[in-house]
Amino acid sequence: MYTMSELSSQRAAVLAFLRERVGQGAPPSLAEIAAHCGFASRNAAQKHVQVLADAGLIELLRGQKRGIRIPGNAPDALLTLPVLGRVAAGLPMGADVGLDRQLRLSRELFALRPDYLLQVQGDSMVDDGILDGDLVGVRRSSEARNGQIVVARVEDEITIKRLERSPGGIRLLPRNQAHSPIVVAADADFAIEGLYCGLIRQG
């Protein structure tokens, strides 16, 4: 029997994908697992799924198509999160905070418990694994530590960057060498809107 620490990178990738899809209420088929994880066949996906089940990391529900359950995904372990528009990972853009839709997701997907989701637009945070089109979880907060990834408002524009505070002022740092830091002017209307909690990747 495998423990979590003994999982290969392939099986860890399968488990992460299952947690995401089951958390969304849409357990994947073996074909979808194989396609997502780059396996040559559904049989390869089945072997990884069975190992995860033998390790107690997932449960297989007999007689049910796509019958996969994540232990601990009881109703109180799921979050209903609104998708509140977009956030720039590039040049800041005007805030779009209208309610787009709601998703029901596993609490385990996030390091912190988020209050809402924003869809990323741009590639300035790719070195932190945040890609164009990702949905990022955001926890409302007006405070952040130096170096944390934050959703910030500069004037009427919203962006996601790493926060840098220094005696010289505040900068919002991208994680892509093709982009320049945003220097926040001393008299700018600036606020931290929230802390980055994690993400889900669509498609």
Tab-separated table of all heavy atoms in Angstrom, residues 22 27 57-61 66-74:
chain	number	residue	atom	x	y	z
A	22	VAL	N	-13.600	16.177	-8.898
A	22	VAL	CA	-14.610	15.725	-7.942
A	22	VAL	C	-15.107	16.907	-7.124
A	22	VAL	O	-16.298	17.035	-6.823
A	22	VAL	CB	-14.058	14.609	-7.039
A	22	VAL	CG1	-15.042	14.269	-5.928
A	22	VAL	CG2	-13.763	13.352	-7.870
A	27	PRO	N	-16.713	14.158	-11.620
A	27	PRO	CA	-15.626	13.174	-11.668
A	27	PRO	C	-15.274	12.823	-13.110
A	27	PRO	O	-16.169	12.655	-13.948
A	27	PRO	CB	-16.216	11.965	-10.933
A	27	PRO	CG	-17.278	12.537	-10.059
A	27	PRO	CD	-17.864	13.681	-10.827
A	57	LEU	N	-6.552	6.913	-0.753
A	57	LEU	CA	-6.575	8.334	-1.096
A	57	LEU	C	-7.813	8.717	-1.889
A	57	LEU	O	-8.175	9.898	-1.960
A	57	LEU	CB	-5.311	8.692	-1.876
A	57	LEU	CG	-4.007	8.524	-1.075
A	57	LEU	CD1	-2.800	8.673	-1.976
A	57	LEU	CD2	-3.956	9.528	0.069
A	58	ILE	N	-8.441	7.729	-2.518
A	58	ILE	CA	-9.738	7.922	-3.163
A	58	ILE	C	-10.601	6.704	-2.871
A	58	ILE	O	-10.088	5.670	-2.418
A	58	ILE	CB	-9.616	8.120	-4.697
A	58	ILE	CG1	-9.079	6.833	-5.361
A	58	ILE	CG2	-8.736	9.323	-5.038
A	58	ILE	CD1	-9.103	6.880	-6.879
A	59	GLU	N	-11.888	6.825	-3.112
A	59	GLU	CA	-12.807	5.698	-2.968
A	59	GLU	C	-13.496	5.451	-4.306
A	59	GLU	O	-13.931	6.394	-4.968
A	59	GLU	CB	-13.862	5.999	-1.897
A	59	GLU	CG	-13.279	6.131	-0.498
A	59	GLU	CD	-14.344	6.474	0.534
A	59	GLU	OE1	-15.536	6.471	0.166
A	59	GLU	OE2	-13.987	6.768	1.687
A	60	LEU	N	-13.562	4.182	-4.708
A	60	LEU	CA	-14.257	3.797	-5.922
A	60	LEU	C	-15.631	3.274	-5.551
A	60	LEU	O	-15.758	2.360	-4.736
A	60	LEU	CB	-13.460	2.733	-6.681
A	60	LEU	CG	-12.039	3.140	-7.106
A	60	LEU	CD1	-11.363	1.993	-7.856
A	60	LEU	CD2	-12.070	4.388	-7.955
A	61	LEU	N	-16.662	3.862	-6.121
A	61	LEU	CA	-18.048	3.507	-5.814
A	61	LEU	C	-18.531	2.496	-6.848
A	61	LEU	O	-18.658	2.814	-8.028
A	61	LEU	CB	-18.924	4.762	-5.826
A	61	LEU	CG	-18.415	5.917	-4.935
A	61	LEU	CD1	-19.325	7.128	-5.070
A	61	LEU	CD2	-18.317	5.459	-3.486
A	66	ARG	N	-18.166	6.655	-13.467
A	66	ARG	CA	-17.313	7.724	-12.911
A	66	ARG	C	-17.472	7.782	-11.387
A	66	ARG	O	-17.515	8.863	-10.799
A	66	ARG	CB	-17.639	9.089	-13.525
A	66	ARG	CG	-17.583	9.105	-15.036
A	66	ARG	CD	-17.725	10.503	-15.575
A	66	ARG	NE	-17.810	10.506	-17.027
A	66	ARG	CZ	-17.429	11.512	-17.803
A	66	ARG	NH1	-16.931	12.598	-17.256
A	66	ARG	NH2	-17.536	11.441	-19.106
A	67	GLY	N	-17.589	6.621	-10.778
A	67	GLY	CA	-17.856	6.550	-9.341
A	67	GLY	C	-16.600	6.725	-8.522
A	67	GLY	O	-16.008	5.747	-8.028
A	68	ILE	N	-16.149	7.948	-8.392
A	68	ILE	CA	-14.954	8.272	-7.619
A	68	ILE	C	-15.320	9.279	-6.542
A	68	ILE	O	-15.996	10.268	-6.815
A	68	ILE	CB	-13.842	8.848	-8.515
A	68	ILE	CG1	-13.421	7.817	-9.573
A	68	ILE	CG2	-12.639	9.299	-7.687
A	68	ILE	CD1	-12.474	8.370	-10.610
A	69	ARG	N	-14.882	9.016	-5.333
A	69	ARG	CA	-15.129	9.927	-4.212
A	69	ARG	C	-13.803	10.220	-3.527
A	69	ARG	O	-12.956	9.354	-3.405
A	69	ARG	CB	-16.107	9.300	-3.214
A	69	ARG	CG	-16.423	10.165	-2.001
A	69	ARG	CD	-17.413	9.467	-1.075
A	69	ARG	NE	-17.614	10.231	0.155
A	69	ARG	CZ	-16.832	10.162	1.228
A	69	ARG	NH1	-15.807	9.331	1.244
A	69	ARG	NH2	-17.082	10.899	2.299
A	70	ILE	N	-13.637	11.471	-3.080
A	70	ILE	CA	-12.440	11.850	-2.331
A	70	ILE	C	-12.790	11.822	-0.844
A	70	ILE	O	-13.678	12.556	-0.411
A	70	ILE	CB	-11.947	13.255	-2.725
A	70	ILE	CG1	-11.739	13.349	-4.240
A	70	ILE	CG2	-10.663	13.593	-1.975
A	70	ILE	CD1	-10.702	12.417	-4.794
A	71	PRO	N	-12.126	10.997	-0.041
A	71	PRO	CA	-12.416	10.987	1.397
A	71	PRO	C	-12.268	12.387	1.981
A	71	PRO	O	-11.328	13.113	1.676
A	71	PRO	CB	-11.348	10.039	1.965
A	71	PRO	CG	-10.986	9.154	0.819
A	71	PRO	CD	-11.076	10.025	-0.402
A	72	GLY	N	-13.233	12.736	2.802
A	72	GLY	CA	-13.205	14.071	3.397
A	72	GLY	C	-14.001	15.089	2.620
A	72	GLY	O	-14.221	16.195	3.096
A	73	ASN	N	-14.462	14.734	1.396
A	73	ASN	CA	-15.253	15.666	0.608
A	73	ASN	C	-16.722	15.606	1.017
A	73	ASN	O	-17.615	15.448	0.203
A	73	ASN	CB	-15.123	15.366	-0.886
A	73	ASN	CG	-14.017	16.192	-1.521
A	73	ASN	OD1	-13.154	16.688	-0.818
A	73	ASN	ND2	-14.050	16.338	-2.818
A	74	ALA	N	-16.955	15.694	2.314
A	74	ALA	CA	-18.320	15.824	2.800
A	74	ALA	C	-18.804	17.225	2.471
A	74	ALA	O	-18.016	18.114	2.140
A	74	ALA	CB	-18.337	15.601	4.309
